[in-house]
Amino acid sequence: MFKRFALLSLPRLVLAGALCTSAPALAALSFDLSVATKYKVAAHGDNPPPDEVRQYKVVLGERYLSVSSPSESTVYDLATRRRYQIDLASRRYVDYSLFDEVGFRVQELKNRSVLNKSLSVAKVDLPAFDPVFDEHQLSVASAARKLSESTEAGATVLAVDGNPLAHIPAGGTKVSAADAAMFERMMRYRFGGHPLVLARLASEKRVPAGFVMYHKQIGNSQARTYTISALKESAPASYDLKPYQPRAAAANELDQLLDKAQANAAPPAAASRQAFETGIAQAFADKRALDAMLGMSEWSIVSGEPMKTPTPEQKVLLNADPQVRAFAAAMRPKGKAEMEAAVARLQELRKLTTQKQHMLMLFEANWRARLGDVRGALPLYASVLRANPALAGAYKDMGDALYQSYDMPRAWRSWDAGRRMAPGLDLFKAVNQYEQQLLREHPEFF
C-alpha cells in the first residue's frame, strides 16, 4: 500500500525535497516543539477547554527519546523498554515499563469499541462516533483502514477512511530513515497520531517545519498545530539520570510499596531460605499445621521454587488438621457462590491464632479480585506486602488486579517488582507471554 503511494506521490515528494533544508543522514536530533491546540464544541458537547499552547524540548537519540516541558521530562528508553518520568522541580523520577503504554492503549481501544456498541444497541441519543478518531488518539489500529491523500494549498492532507486527520505542508528538514522512525515514535508515545498517518509521515524522511493534526471526541474537536524550531543535527549518545534520584516513597500507599520494591527488589538470600526452613520445621514440631502449610506456600511464591513435598509424618499432621482442611476447601471454589463462601472461610481462619495472617489475606484478596471487587482486594494486597515485602507472587496477583482496574502503570511496576524477586515463578509466564504478544503485534512502539 505505501509503496504504491510512494510511486503515485513521487512528483510531490520531489518537490517537497527541493523545499527541504538539505541535511546528511543522521542518527540523532534535538529541537524545540510548540503545540497549539484549538478546541471546538461538538454536538452534545459542553463548553470546550480553553485553547492552549505548550512548549517542549525534544531529543531523539539512537535508542532513546525524551520530551521535556518546563515542569517535567519523560525519557523513553527503547533499548531497555523503560520510561522515566522526571519531576524537574524535585529532581526525582519514577521508573515505568514501556509495555504499560502499549497495554493500556490496546485495552482502551477495545473498551471504547465495546462501549460504542453498547450505546448503539441501547439507542442512546449520541452522535455516531467513528472509531478512526479513537485510533488516531491512541496510535493503535483496530481494523484494516484506507489511507488517502489530497493536496490543499501545496500541503498534503492525509485522511483515514475519509476522515481528514493531518495537514502537512512541504518543507522542513531531510533526515535519515532512523531519525524519521524516532520522530514517528515520539509522536506516537507523547502526542498520538493514527498509525497510517505516522507511517506515511515517516516514509518522507523529513521533519516538517510544522503540521496540523485533527482530533475528535464526543463533546469537542481539536486542531493541534505542531511547530518545530531550533532543530540541531546532534543529540547526546545517551540520557543521564545522575542529576536525579528515584522518587522517595509517595503518599499513595500502593506507590509507597512499589517505590520501595523498585529500590530493593531482589531474589531471596540464603539467610532467607534458612529462616523459612527453620520456621516451617518449628511449626510442624509445635503441631501448628496451618502455619506450616502457609509457610510452605509462602516460600514457594517468595522464591519461585515448587512447593516442597511434606514428609509422610507431616502429611498425617496436615490431613488430620481441621484448619488445614478448611483452608484447602477455600482454595478450590467453583463459581461465584463458592468463591464468596471461600472468602468468608478465609476470614474465619484469620480469626484463629496464626503467624501467617498475611497469607490468608493474600488468598482472600485473590478471590475478591476474581469476583470483581478490586477495590476490596487492593488494601488486602497492601497489607500482605507490608507484612512480607519479598512476596513475589503477591506482586503478580496485585498487578493482575491493577490491570483489571485499568491502572496499567502500577500493574507493570508490580509485575516488574515480582519478576526481579523470583523471575522463575510460574505465575509470571502469562505476563511474559503477554509482553511478547505486544512486541509481535505492535513493533512500531519498540
Side-chain angles (χ1 to χ4, degrees), residues 152-208:
E152 182 180 293
T156 300
V157 177
L158 299 178
V160 175
D161 284 6
N163 297 289
L165 299 182
H167 180 278
I168 309 173
T173 303
K174 288 184 178 180
V175 298
S176 68
D179 285 338
M182 290 301 284
F183 184 83
E184 176 188 358
R185 285 193 178 96
M186 183 275 296
M187 288 296 301
R188 186 184 306 278
Y189 271 116
R190 189 61 183 82
F191 302 104
H194 197 281
L196 294 180
V197 170
L198 294 180
R200 181 68 180 82
L201 178 59
S203 72
E204 294 193 2
K205 298 180 184 177
R206 68 181 174 109
V207 173

Side-chain angles (χ1 to χ4, degrees), residues 18 78 84 110 114 149 155 226 231 277 280 289 292 298 303 351 356 375:
L78 302 176
Y84 300 96
K110 292 178 182 178
V114 171
E149 68 175 87
Y226 297 84
L231 189 146
E277 291 179 349
I280 293 167
E298 183 175 16
S303 66
K351 296 176 183 178
K356 299 294 181 180
R375 183 173 294 182

Side-chain angles (χ1 to χ4, degrees), residues 359-414:
M359 290 300 294
L360 297 172
M361 287 183 188
L362 173 60
F363 297 120
E364 179 186 339
N366 288 345
W367 295 138
R368 284 186 179 277
R370 288 280 296 275
L371 288 165
D373 182 17
V374 173
R375 183 173 294 182
L378 288 175
L380 290 173
Y381 286 126
S383 296
V384 170
L385 290 169
R386 282 198 305 271
N388 184 357
L391 202 52
Y395 287 100
K396 165 58 169 64
D397 296 334
M398 185 170 74
D400 290 353
L402 289 164
Y403 184 91
Q404 186 178 337
S405 63
Y406 277 78
D407 191 344
M408 307 305 186
R410 288 193 181 103
W412 254 276
R413 290 193 82 201
S414 193

Side-chain angles (χ1 to χ4, degrees), residues 119 136 149 264 338:
L119 292 174
H136 189 44
E149 68 175 87
N264 303 315
E338 289 190 15

Side-chain angles (χ1 to χ4, degrees), residues 320-364:
D321 191 278
Q323 296 175 10
V324 172
R325 290 200 300 271
F327 169 73
M331 294 297 98
R332 298 189 296 270
K334 296 179 181 178
K336 180 179 178 182
E338 289 190 15
M339 213 173 289
E340 291 172 341
V343 168
R345 187 173 292 115
L346 289 166
Q347 290 174 334
E348 288 300 315
L349 287 172
R350 282 170 54 190
K351 296 176 183 178
L352 303 174
T353 301
T354 173
Q355 297 177 6
K356 299 294 181 180
Q357 289 274 351
H358 58 286
M359 290 300 294
L360 297 172
M361 287 183 188
L362 173 60
F363 297 120
E364 179 186 339

Side-chain angles (χ1 to χ4, degrees), residues 45-354:
D46 297 322
N47 292 330
D51 296 345
E52 61 182 12
V53 179
R54 296 188 179 184
Q55 308 294 338
Y56 304 91
K57 290 189 176 295
V58 178
V59 176
L60 307 180
E62 291 188 16
R63 290 297 295 161
Y64 79 95
L65 61 92
S66 67
V67 181
S68 303
S69 70
S71 60
E72 66 178 18
S73 180
T74 305
V75 178
Y76 303 84
D77 188 326
L78 302 176
T80 61
R81 298 174 186 144
R82 308 302 301 173
R83 180 178 81 259
Y84 300 96
Q85 194 72 37
I86 305 169
D87 184 297
L88 296 175
S90 66
R91 304 186 74 78
R92 299 277 183 172
Y93 69 86
V94 184
D95 180 349
Y96 295 100
S97 171
L98 286 186
F99 285 109
D100 71 50
E101 288 257 9
V102 189
F104 170 77
R105 296 180 194 214
V106 169
Q107 293 304 315
E108 177 64 9
L109 194 60
K110 292 178 182 178
N111 184 53
R112 293 187 188 187
S113 177
V114 171
L115 179 60
N116 288 336
K117 289 178 181 177
S118 298
L119 292 174
S120 176
V121 170
K123 298 182 178 179
V124 175
D125 184 24
L126 285 174
F129 191 75
D130 196 316
V132 163
F133 287 100
D134 286 332
E135 297 174 359
H136 189 44
Q137 179 184 357
L138 298 169
S139 291
V140 177
S142 61
R145 304 290 182 194
K146 181 181 179 181
L147 178 71
S148 59
E149 68 175 87
S150 59
T151 57
E152 182 180 293
T156 300
V157 177
L158 299 178
V160 175
D161 284 6
N163 297 289
L165 299 182
H167 180 278
I168 309 173
T173 303
K174 288 184 178 180
V175 298
S176 68
D179 285 338
M182 290 301 284
F183 184 83
E184 176 188 358
R185 285 193 178 96
M186 183 275 296
M187 288 296 301
R188 186 184 306 278
Y189 271 116
R190 189 61 183 82
F191 302 104
H194 197 281
L196 294 180
V197 170
L198 294 180
R200 181 68 180 82
L201 178 59
S203 72
E204 294 193 2
K205 298 180 184 177
R206 68 181 174 109
V207 173
F211 58 98
V212 183
M213 291 278 199
Y214 302 104
H215 295 263
K216 186 182 293 185
Q217 59 191 40
I218 295 176
N220 66 72
S221 59
Q222 306 167 24
R224 297 181 193 165
T225 300
Y226 297 84
T227 305
I228 290 94
S229 61
L231 189 146
K232 297 179 181 178
E233 301 165 3
S234 64
S238 182
Y239 57 91
D240 187 7
L241 291 178
K242 290 179 183 177
Y244 312 102
Q245 296 293 324
R247 183 179 66 188
N252 179 280
E253 185 175 32
L254 292 182
D255 283 334
Q256 287 181 18
L257 291 166
L258 295 173
D259 287 348
K260 290 177 181 176
Q262 183 73 46
N264 303 315
S272 180
R273 173 189 294 275
Q274 183 60 53
F276 266 96
E277 291 179 349
T278 299
I280 293 167
Q282 189 61 54
F284 275 120
D286 296 342
K287 308 299 188 210
R288 291 183 287 109
L290 182 59
D291 276 353
M293 170 61 74
L294 294 175
M296 295 169 70
S297 177
E298 183 175 16
W299 173 247
S300 177
I301 56 180
V302 163
S303 66
E305 299 175 2
M307 190 167 169
K308 190 174 180 179
T309 303
T311 66
E313 294 80 7
Q314 291 170 345
K315 285 183 180 179
V316 170
L317 179 63
L318 293 171
N319 291 335
D321 191 278
Q323 296 175 10
V324 172
R325 290 200 300 271
F327 169 73
M331 294 297 98
R332 298 189 296 270
K334 296 179 181 178
K336 180 179 178 182
E338 289 190 15
M339 213 173 289
E340 291 172 341
V343 168
R345 187 173 292 115
L346 289 166
Q347 290 174 334
E348 288 300 315
L349 287 172
R350 282 170 54 190
K351 296 176 183 178
L352 303 174
T353 301
T354 173

